[in-house]
Amino acid sequence: REAIAAIGRGELVVVVDDADRENEGDLILAADHATPAAIAFMVRHTSGIICVSAEESRLEQLSLAQMVPDNTDPKQTAFTVSVDYKHGTSTGISARDRAITIRALADPSTRPEDLTRPGHVFPLRYKSGGVLKRAGHTEAAADLARLAGCRPLGVLSEIIDDKDGDALRGDALRQFCVDHNLVLTSIADLVRFRRSSEKLVVRMTGDGPAPKMPTRYGDFAAYPFRSLLDDAEHVALVMGPVPVKNPALVRVHSECCTGDVFGSLRCDCGTQLDAALRKIAEEGAGVLVYLRGQEGRGIGLGHKLRAYALQDKGRDTVEANEELGLPVDSREYGIGAQILVDLGVSQLRLMTNSPSKYHGISGFGLEISERVKLPVGQTPQNTEYLKTKKNKMGHWIDGITDEAADLTLSNDAAFDSQIVEETTVQSQ
């Protein structure tokens, strides 16, 4: 609330993100309140790249297209073409000129023909749902402006250490706020504030009982959820009472048609899904959230199969995505976090091999008390894939060998045996 009040008064605030994401601090200001003095301060203490977060509808009104057709930024920062305001400015680079451009972007009367392209101000496309959907500074800037009663456009730039030019972090960032009398807040704080009054998912069964879902591992209750952002439907399989007992054993699983449905041996998705359900059944309680629409780490089924074709030619999973101009991993977990909260989860033992799977999750009132590794089911077909996940993406994957078991249907018993053995070893 203090940061929102400061934004409403036209002040700059500092917003930090999650330590597992970029672990950086940005200066943020409502575009309505952009002044030459405020922009000069930002230029002096930041990288000098002044961005303006805006909703898609506003960017479409101004005919501002994406800067590049294929965004390969790992964080998926959505830059549009840069701009300057034509009227009352000179070269566009001065703090005064940039303040005029920023206020023009926020002014509903500004039209596409009022802007020159390229320029010295960099608009960013805000993701619908804001920090509840994507826990980034782009969304935080516009959310803060809107919550402060301003037009939903926020100015932002990353704070830089003037000694070595690196991003300012930790204690140095806190001291910067003290020295300049600036309010310091976090994206997690903003998520927490928005969650107190907003919700992005609804339980489709309402307060009624969930239908039973008998599986080969045991009986689960199936809770369907619908996203208010895109109407996508997700499901949570719960064993045990709801609200759940904390800390809860949890797996948030991204949809993988090829691995989960067809049993593809190119990935470890189906293996992890089976292992998670098995472990929940062994303990007699837990939650598996199945997030749809996240095929291929968020790139979609068609793009994933195109990436497979490149992998057949020798690229690894990261190189294939990059060659296609696709992000390495664009999955989002805000919806999954809200589903867990709806089911009463507050503390979770998270089943994952990815140390950085969640960003800003603490803002949803969720605390990860333990990360539980999952077996990967190494095969001759996925050995290089697993090595890439470990070496390039930082996944916790142990015991990869150059010789892997044949886990095709003719050796189904070997498959089940390996998964049980890996699960047992990791539980010890």
Side-chain angles (χ1 to χ4, degrees):
R1 293 181 184 274
E2 188 179 358
I4 294 171
I7 289 287
R9 294 191 298 267
E11 300 174 12
L12 289 154
V13 302
V14 174
V15 179
V16 297
D17 67 355
D18 190 79
D20 288 336
R21 194 174 186 270
E22 293 174 322
N23 192 25
E24 69 174 34
D26 279 24
L27 279 169
I28 287 180
L29 173 76
D32 282 350
H33 295 299
T35 64
I39 300 305
F41 183 90
M42 293 185 79
V43 170
R44 186 160 56 249
H45 296 289
T46 72
S47 63
I49 303 297
I50 306 299
C51 303
V52 178
S53 171
E55 294 176 341
E56 184 171 5
S57 59
R58 181 56 180 154
L59 297 176
E60 289 178 349
Q61 290 170 1
L62 296 173
S63 299
L64 294 180
Q66 292 297 99
M67 181 179 288
V68 293
D70 294 316
N71 188 342
T72 60
D73 174 15
K75 299 293 185 294
Q76 287 292 283
T77 305
F79 283 94
T80 76
V81 62
S82 57
V83 296
D84 286 333
Y85 189 59
K86 287 182 178 179
H87 313 294
T89 59
S90 56
T91 63
I93 189 63
S94 70
R96 175 185 174 276
D97 285 357
R98 283 194 265 188
I100 291 173
T101 297
I102 291 166
R103 293 179 78 111
L105 290 172
D107 185 346
S109 67
T110 302
R111 296 291 179 260
E113 56 270 22
D114 295 321
L115 303 172
T116 58
R117 304 163 177 80
H120 298 88
V121 173
F122 296 81
L124 301 173
R125 190 177 299 271
Y126 167 92
K127 194 168 191 66
S128 179
V131 294
L132 296 182
K133 181 65 175 176
R134 178 181 182 270
H137 284 104
T138 300
E139 288 65 37
D143 279 354
L144 283 169
R146 176 181 57 81
L147 291 168
C150 304
R151 295 186 183 95
L153 293 90
V155 189
L156 63 154
S157 189
E158 181 179 350
I159 303 170
I160 297 298
D161 189 331
D162 58 9
K163 295 183 179 65
D164 60 12
D166 198 4
L168 207 60
R169 296 182 172 92
D171 292 339
L173 193 60
R174 286 185 282 273
Q175 186 60 49
F176 175 85
C177 294
V178 172
D179 293 343
H180 297 284
N181 195 28
L182 298 173
V183 174
L184 174 66
T185 190
S186 68
I187 292 177
D189 289 337
L190 182 55
V191 170
R192 190 176 296 109
F193 179 85
R194 286 197 59 192
R195 192 178 70 83
S196 67
S197 59
E198 302 176 48
K199 195 174 184 181
L200 291 180
V201 295
V202 292
R203 193 190 298 186
M204 296 173 69
T205 55
D207 295 328
K212 292 182 179 179
M213 178 69 69
T215 73
R216 57 178 172 167
Y217 303 110
D219 292 344
F220 290 80
Y223 290 86
F225 289 85
R226 178 172 59 85
S227 167
L228 298 179
L229 292 176
D230 54 13
D231 286 329
E233 295 179 357
H234 313 279
V235 64
L237 297 183
V238 182
M239 183 172 286
V242 172
V244 303
K245 182 180 179 181
N246 289 292
L249 182 63
V250 169
R251 167 70 177 169
V252 178
H253 191 89
S254 298
E255 178 182 30
C256 177
C257 176
T258 54
D260 301 340
V261 178
F262 301 134
S264 170
L265 300 179
R266 299 187 72 130
C267 66
D268 55 345
C269 301
T271 301
Q272 292 191 43
L273 178 62
D274 284 343
L277 289 170
R278 186 191 302 272
K279 189 164 182 61
I280 290 172
E282 287 175 352
E283 296 199 8
V287 180
L288 186 137
V289 176
Y290 196 85
L291 294 179
R292 301 181 62 218
Q294 304 221 36
E295 187 79 37
R297 299 194 299 273
I299 64 174
L301 180 58
H303 285 314
K304 182 170 80 169
L305 295 177
R306 290 174 62 206
Y308 279 176
L310 290 177
Q311 291 174 40
D312 289 341
K313 297 178 180 180
R315 280 68 155 188
D316 64 33
T317 182
V318 170
E319 293 166 346
N321 281 30
E322 291 176 341
E323 186 166 329
L324 291 171
L326 299 169
V328 174
D329 192 341
S330 63
R331 291 173 295 180
E332 298 160 346
Y333 298 99
I335 294 294
Q338 286 211 355
I339 290 173
L340 291 173
V341 170
D342 184 89
L343 295 170
V345 176
S346 58
Q347 290 183 310
L348 55 154
R349 298 165 52 220
L350 182 64
M351 289 187 280
T352 182
N353 293 332
S354 175
S356 59
K357 191 168 190 177
Y358 276 68
H359 305 305
I361 192 172
S362 60
F364 292 88
L366 295 171
E367 175 188 349
I368 300 175
S369 61
E370 179 187 358
R371 294 187 190 268
V372 180
K373 295 182 183 180
L374 284 172
V376 294
Q378 183 187 354
T379 71
Q381 296 86 352
N382 71 15
T383 295
E384 292 306 314
Y385 166 79
L386 295 177
K387 288 180 179 178
T388 300
K389 288 180 71 174
K390 178 178 181 177
N391 297 329
K392 288 191 175 182
M393 302 173 68
H395 285 221
W396 290 321
I397 301 176
D398 300 324
I400 301 176
T401 63
D402 291 331
E403 295 185 6
D406 177 9
L407 303 184
T408 54
L409 187 61
S410 60
N411 283 288
D412 200 40
F415 176 85
D416 286 338
S417 175
Q418 177 173 338
I419 298 308
V420 171
E421 180 179 352
E422 289 190 35
T423 304
T424 302
V425 168
Q426 293 183 9
S427 298
Q428 291 175 347

